[in-house]
Structure formats: structure tokens, C-alpha cells
Amino acid sequence: MQLLDGKKTAASIKDEIKQTVDAIKLQKKRVPHLAAILVGDSTASKTYINNKIKSCKEVGFKSTLLHLEKDITENELIAQINNLNNDNSIDGFIVQLPLPKHINEERVLLSITPEKDVDGFHPINLGKMMIGLPAFISATPKGIVEILKRYNIQTSGKHCVVVGRSNIVGTPISILLGKKSEAGNATVTLCHSHTKDLKTYTLQADIIIAATGKPNLITADMVKDGVVIIDVGINRIDDNSERGYHLVGDVDFKNVSKKSSYITPVPGGVGLMTVASLLQNTLAAYQAAYYPKDFIEENLL
Ligand code: NAD
């Protein structure tokens, strides 16, 4: 079994980005600028946002955090988004999900201009990705494709079973893997909570992408020898540690790793790749402002 090391892979991507930013600084140009909107005080969301802001600093990006009250109205939030849409000093921005229940997430995501939608959640970006036009690919699926590429894991002709069909992970990664492209050409099965006898499908998989939020859903008896495992799940399990919890994925790592050829750990796997992809998207958004059309075509997936 070989570990798919998200920490190491994300670090080399960040290094590449930093070199580009250093070159930008030498030319005395402004550096890429990512803004992030956080609504409310969820500790998990704060951790995710802080990691993103910290990573911006590491690569030399400018970052701005807008921390808004949890009882902000939907219209007030959209007004803040419009400010960012119209602010030429900001290349891309994200709205950390989930949002409080009184806010319609779809309406909020639709209000982000697609050119600054570095999370790739806007239907314009999702639609362009579907038909193979240059687009911002959602950070987690992009990170999964990138880690597979960097470990030379072939997807062509393989059977990939994706478990979970969210708009931000399961559905887009199932499309990317099935596309006629370098990191695609797989035969994809998309499973979800209505799938009967999940094990029938996972046992046939050469590659399993688990994105359900169900701790230890994928167990050793559900996978074949030599399987490649990408564990997207991030689940908090309460314990007696100082922090009060530890993180596990959707896969029973201890036992499944014994049968797998490659596996991502949790933590230290897909989560870090997600942040690295967000930085790549932000850099592409910045560069698109300087080299519009052909640059986008060459640099977005
Ligand atoms: P979600 O919570 O929106 O949806 C879960 C999906 O899993 C649904 O499509 C559902 O049909 C499916 N599902 C639930 N139970 C199932 C079962 N028993 N069998 C088969 N399918 C089942 O999904 P999400 O937002 O993609 O998040 C999934 C997990 O990934 C969560 O743990 C989340 O924290 C994590 N996540 C991690 C990253 C990262 O960067 N690593 C990014 C996004 C989400």
C-alpha cells in the first residue's frame, strides 16, 4: 500500500504557485487576491477558512476575510457579494458553506460572478466543465484529479465507483473521471443513499471515491485487492482528547489500507489538495485578467 500524501503533494503545488507569485513581485505587479466570506461562528467553517487564509499567506497572495454575523439577511449577504464582484482588486472569492438555514444557498451561489467563482460552484462553471469548455473546476474534484495525476494513477479504462452525489464533490468528480480527457476515460458508477447493496458496486471498483460524510462506510469486505481509495469524508468523532474530537474519513482506513494499492489518509489527504486547488484557481483568475482568452483555454482544466 502506498499513501497518497496530500500534505506533500499540496506543498509542491503551493511551491509552484509561490514561484509564480515571486516572479510577479519581481515585475512589481500587484499579487493575486482571494477574498473569503464567512457567515456565523461554526468552528469547522472557521478552521477551513483559516487554513485557506494561511495558505494564501504561504504562497504570497493577498487575502481578505469578511466575517459576517450569523443573522445577516440573504439580501445583505448578496450585497456584500456584489461589492466583491465589482471590486477590481479582488481576483476571486469564496463563500464558505454551509450557510445559516434562513439563507438560500443556491441564490447566494448564483450571485457570484462566474469569472471570480474560484470554488467552481456556479452553474456556468459546472456547465462549462460538463461540456469540456475551460472553467473553474470545484476545488475538491480538481484536487482529486491532481493527486491521481501526480501519482501517475491511470484512470483510462478503469472502473471508478463514486459514492456520494453532492454538487460540490460526487457529481462533478463523476463527470470529470468519465470525460474524454487525460485524467478521465474511466467507466464511472455513481452511488448514493438510494443505491441498493453498495458492496456489489464497490467490489467491482478499481478506484473508489468516497464522499458521503458517513464515518467508516467503506469497509475491507467491500473492496477488492489493489483498489485505489480516495477518501473525501471529513467526520468529527468526539473523544477525550484536549481538542475533544478527532477526524476520520468515510473509509475504514486501518483495514481497507491493507487491501489497497493507494489510499488517501484523513486528515492529510484530499482536504489539503482542496486548498491547493483553490489557490490554483485564484492564480488562474488573476492571470486571466492579464492574458484573457488563450490563457484561460490553456490553464483551466
Ligand atoms: P453531502 O453531505 O452533500 O452529501 C452526501 C452524499 O452521500 C449524498 O449524495 C448521499 O446520497 C450520499 N450518501 C449518504 N449516505 C450514503 C450511504 N449510506 N451510501 C451511499 N451514499 C450515501 O456531501 P458532500 O458535501 O460532498 O460531503 C461529503 C463528505 O465530504 C463530508 O464528510 C464532507 O465534510 C467532506 N468534504 C470534504 C472535502 C475535502 O476537502 N476533503 C470537501 C467537501 C466535503
Side-chain angles (χ1 to χ4, degrees):
M1 177 276 289
Q2 190 180 346
L3 214 56
L4 293 172
D5 189 337
K7 195 170 177 186
K8 210 165 97 189
T9 314
S12 49
I13 293 171
K14 284 194 209 166
D15 215 43
E16 291 158 18
I17 296 173
K18 187 174 179 305
Q19 284 177 29
T20 309
V21 177
D22 287 346
I24 290 170
K25 284 182 183 163
L26 277 179
Q27 293 166 32
K28 308 256 184 264
K29 285 187 188 154
R30 71 171 184 89
V31 294
H33 185 177
L34 175 74
I37 296 184
L38 172 65
V39 182
D41 287 309
S42 145
T43 11
S45 291
K46 272 192 196 161
T47 309
Y48 295 139
I49 284 276
N50 287 338
N51 284 340
K52 290 167 188 172
I53 300 287
K54 187 170 146 243
S55 296
C56 281
K57 285 207 180 86
E58 283 167 15
V59 299
F61 286 3
K62 187 174 173 191
S63 61
T64 298
L65 173 61
L66 292 178
H67 192 171
L68 308 174
E69 296 293 328
K70 68 174 183 306
D71 54 4
I72 188 169
T73 67
E74 193 175 300
N75 285 340
E76 285 166 343
L77 173 58
I78 289 175
Q80 295 278 0
I81 289 174
N82 281 333
N83 288 341
L84 297 179
N85 285 338
N86 296 322
D87 183 339
N88 288 336
S89 74
I90 285 170
D91 300 290
F93 65 96
I94 56 169
V95 178
Q96 185 65 43
L97 302 179
L99 291 168
K101 287 207 165 48
H102 67 279
I103 296 177
N104 179 333
E105 229 162 68
E106 274 168 22
R107 201 173 154 236
V108 168
L109 294 180
L110 275 169
S111 69
I112 299 174
T113 188
E115 290 76 20
K116 293 191 179 186
D117 169 40
V118 285
D119 250 342
F121 292 164
H122 193 286
I124 295 262
N125 279 313
L126 286 165
K128 284 184 171 177
M129 180 267 281
M130 265 199 68
I131 60 170
L133 291 174
F136 290 117
I137 309 291
S138 323
T140 304
K142 185 178 166 91
I144 295 171
V145 167
E146 195 69 37
I147 203 164
L148 290 171
K149 273 192 196 164
R150 288 188 185 229
Y151 278 85
N152 282 320
I153 295 172
Q154 298 302 313
T155 50
S156 180
K158 298 289 167 60
H159 182 198
C160 294
V161 173
V162 178
V163 191
R165 59 176 167 187
S166 71
N167 288 342
I168 61 169
V169 188
T171 296
I173 190 64
S174 70
I175 293 167
L176 287 172
L177 291 171
K179 278 173 75 70
K180 190 172 178 178
S181 67
E182 190 198 338
N185 289 325
T187 303
V188 180
T189 302
L190 181 57
C191 299
H192 44 76
S193 52
H194 290 257
T195 300
K196 289 190 178 130
D197 196 8
L198 182 62
K199 186 175 168 181
T200 314
Y201 303 98
T202 53
L203 270 176
Q204 295 172 41
D206 301 308
I207 301 174
I208 296 177
I209 318 271
T212 65
K214 301 283 174 234
N216 300 323
L217 177 71
I218 309 295
T219 48
D221 60 314
M222 295 170 74
V223 306
K224 70 178 182 187
D225 284 326
V227 67
V228 175
I229 300 280
I230 305 290
D231 190 353
V232 183
I234 300 180
N235 307 297
R236 286 184 177 212
I237 306 290
D238 292 340
D239 62 20
N240 293 326
S241 67
E242 202 179 314
R243 199 162 63 153
Y245 68 89
H246 62 280
L247 298 179
V248 299
D250 292 352
V251 176
D252 172 9
F253 182 89
K254 184 165 170 254
N255 296 305
V256 172
S257 61
K258 291 177 191 151
K259 292 179 84 176
S260 58
S261 53
Y262 294 91
I263 185 165
T264 57
V266 178
V270 176
L272 297 165
M273 291 302 297
T274 298
V275 179
S277 300
L278 175 68
L279 298 175
Q280 283 178 316
N281 278 348
T282 305
L283 181 61
Y286 168 89
Q287 288 168 318
Y290 288 95
Y291 316 92
K293 228 174 160 315
D294 43 346
F295 178 84
I296 297 184
E297 273 159 28
E298 279 168 29
N299 285 275
L300 298 184
L301 267 177

